[in-house]
Amino acid sequence: MIRLPGLIDIHVHLREPGEEYKEDFSTGTSAALKGGITTVLAMPNTHPPLLDRESLRAAAELAKKKAYCDYGIYLGGGEHNAAKAADVAEEAAGLKLYLNATYGPLLLEHVSSWMAHFEHWPANRPIVAHAEDKTLAAFLMLSYLYHKPVHVCHVARKHEILLIREAKSKGLPVTCEVTPHHLFLTEADGKRLPPGRERVSPSLGTAEDVEALWDNLDVIDCIASDHAPHTLEEKDSRQPPPGFPGVENTLPLLLEAVQEGRLTREDIVEKMYENPRKLFSIPAQDETWVEVDETHNYEITGSDQFTKAKWTPFEGKKVRGIVRRVVIRSQTVYQDGKITVQPGFGKNIREA
Ligand code: DOR
Ligand code: ZN
Ligand code: ZN
């Protein structure tokens, strides 16, 4: 049995409010605990989206009653909310800008509104963005012009990770994350899934893209699941929404990579604990740890998951390493497949 610190997943979609049939704060945070994650940062592309004090507090109230693990909640950048969002920055995990079209109601079409957010948002929290390809280059330019720290979500392409490497080497305050699906699946793997299930944004990369991510691990600050649950019915429909559930499989996939010698346990701790804490000023959880049996072999199975999305793009994949017990603040919160605390046990990182 090995012990890890309570891991932090800085990118999850918990769908509350508005799409509780896909996920809610209880199911999403119980899935996190099963995956050895004791803090999640939830995205604002909900219904309604989280754009101001009222909507952020309404979501935080729901989380306070329902969450099993600790959490933070992002504010979303809208075309007209830059000043209002900045006013409530202290209560938010960070500011999320959707700079490319993806799932949900948030998309910033106008560079003028990107500029407004860069002007208003305080420099003590990163501005995080979904920014692919040319949009990524433009986002990095704004970081340079406004001297504000930026964090790039789910980097998936070779030229993108090389561009970030370049920006870092020139001293830009830029950090980034990658997802397990962009590290472990190629577009060829996606083609083997039933049609619709491979849809994710950014899309899966080529073998060359995947190799470039592994070759540039030193540039990758965080590993985050981008847990994006949709129902199986939706994924198998004519208009499948993009996204994979991921919060409960991330650690087992990474532990398998450790066993294969592609990653070290220290890399996991750095990218899922130390760097997330630093980047998002997340307070320490006292007497908190995860007990993992590294030798246990099993297959990933969608139907066993705690998330409401009872499917996974990793169906049938053999992994070694299972979370046996999770302790938060001296209390056992998860043991051998069962949650052992009441909903509402989790705390908001911004109320600590
Ligand atoms: O695949 C994705 N799903 N990418 C995103 O950017 C959004 C997410 C979601 O909310 O479903
Ligand atoms: Zn995204
Ligand atoms: Zn996302």
Side-chain angles (χ1 to χ4, degrees):
M1 207 73 94
I2 60 160
R3 255 192 196 206
L4 294 172
L7 300 178
I8 302 169
D9 190 338
I10 62 171
H11 190 151
V12 302
H13 298 267
L14 300 183
R15 306 300 190 206
E16 208 171 345
E19 290 180 321
E20 294 82 356
Y21 72 96
K22 292 180 194 270
E23 197 76 295
D24 64 39
F25 281 115
S26 292
T27 54
T29 56
S30 63
L33 289 178
K34 182 158 167 256
I37 286 153
T38 58
T39 305
V40 290
L41 302 186
M43 286 295 165
N45 61 337
T46 50
H47 295 271
L50 310 182
L51 292 171
D52 53 20
R53 190 181 305 272
E54 294 67 38
S55 50
L56 182 71
R57 284 194 181 163
E61 275 308 304
L62 292 165
K64 192 178 191 134
K65 291 194 190 85
K66 298 177 72 172
Y68 290 104
C69 73
D70 291 358
Y71 55 89
I73 305 177
Y74 287 94
L75 277 163
E79 303 280 10
H80 306 290
N81 72 334
K84 272 188 171 179
D87 271 352
V88 65
E90 292 307 311
E91 294 179 32
L95 177 70
K96 172 70 181 280
L97 304 183
Y98 287 85
L99 304 182
N100 298 113
T102 181
Y103 181 76
L106 295 173
L107 172 63
L108 287 175
E109 305 254 20
H110 304 289
V111 174
S112 56
S113 53
W114 308 16
M115 290 162 68
H117 284 293
F118 272 87
E119 274 160 26
H120 283 92
W121 190 254
N124 63 344
R125 301 255 156 78
I127 298 176
V128 319
H130 182 132
E132 301 180 45
D133 197 38
K134 294 184 185 105
T135 309
L136 171 61
F139 181 55
L140 295 178
M141 184 65 185
L142 265 75
S143 166
Y144 170 77
L145 294 174
Y146 289 88
H147 306 287
K148 295 250 164 112
V150 297
H151 175 82
V152 183
C153 296
H154 46 46
V155 179
R157 293 289 178 275
K158 180 178 182 177
H159 69 277
E160 293 171 348
I161 197 68
L162 295 179
L163 186 61
I164 291 168
R165 175 178 278 288
E166 207 54 35
K168 283 190 173 194
S169 79
K170 297 291 183 312
L172 251 66
V174 52
T175 56
C176 70
E177 80 199 21
V178 294
T179 69
H181 48 274
H182 293 116
L183 282 175
F184 295 106
L185 295 175
T186 63
E187 60 185 13
D189 295 321
K191 289 203 176 91
R192 284 189 280 272
L193 294 171
R197 298 213 196 156
E198 82 296 348
R199 274 208 72 206
V200 67
S201 172
S203 61
L204 297 174
T206 62
E208 201 184 336
D209 290 322
V210 172
E211 199 180 305
L213 296 179
W214 284 100
D215 287 346
N216 289 280
L217 268 187
D218 60 322
V219 181
I220 295 166
D221 300 277
C222 303
I223 296 176
S225 69
D226 195 4
H227 177 75
H230 300 286
T231 66
L232 201 48
E233 199 179 19
E234 290 170 319
K235 291 299 284 184
D236 291 349
S237 73
R238 274 155 178 255
Q239 290 191 320
F244 298 158
V247 76
E248 58 206 282
N249 296 325
T250 299
L251 178 59
L253 288 163
L254 296 178
L255 289 170
E256 173 64 24
V258 170
Q259 303 268 351
E260 290 168 3
R262 305 169 79 187
L263 200 69
T264 65
R265 218 187 279 160
E266 290 70 36
D267 291 327
I268 300 179
V269 173
E270 178 192 270
K271 296 178 200 308
M272 294 199 73
Y273 175 70
E274 287 164 8
N275 289 342
R277 271 197 67 198
K278 267 185 239 156
L279 290 181
F280 291 90
S281 312
I282 298 173
Q285 295 168 309
D286 297 328
E287 299 300 316
T288 296
W289 68 87
V290 179
E291 292 172 14
V292 173
D293 178 351
E294 270 192 313
T295 60
H296 183 80
N297 292 286
Y298 65 102
E299 279 183 13
I300 293 177
T301 313
S303 59
D304 289 350
Q305 295 184 143
F306 283 9
T307 169
K308 291 188 186 180
K310 299 291 178 205
W311 76 280
T312 160
F314 294 102
E315 184 74 37
K317 185 170 165 62
K318 291 191 176 62
V319 287
R320 276 166 292 182
I322 195 166
V323 173
R324 292 292 186 199
R325 186 162 86 113
V326 180
V327 176
I328 301 181
R329 293 181 279 277
S330 308
Q331 194 156 337
T332 298
V333 294
Y334 172 89
Q335 183 146 30
D336 296 315
K338 293 213 167 52
I339 301 290
T340 53
V341 283
Q342 296 303 310
F345 178 86
K347 290 200 181 327
N348 190 330
I349 57 162
R350 296 299 179 229
E351 280 177 14

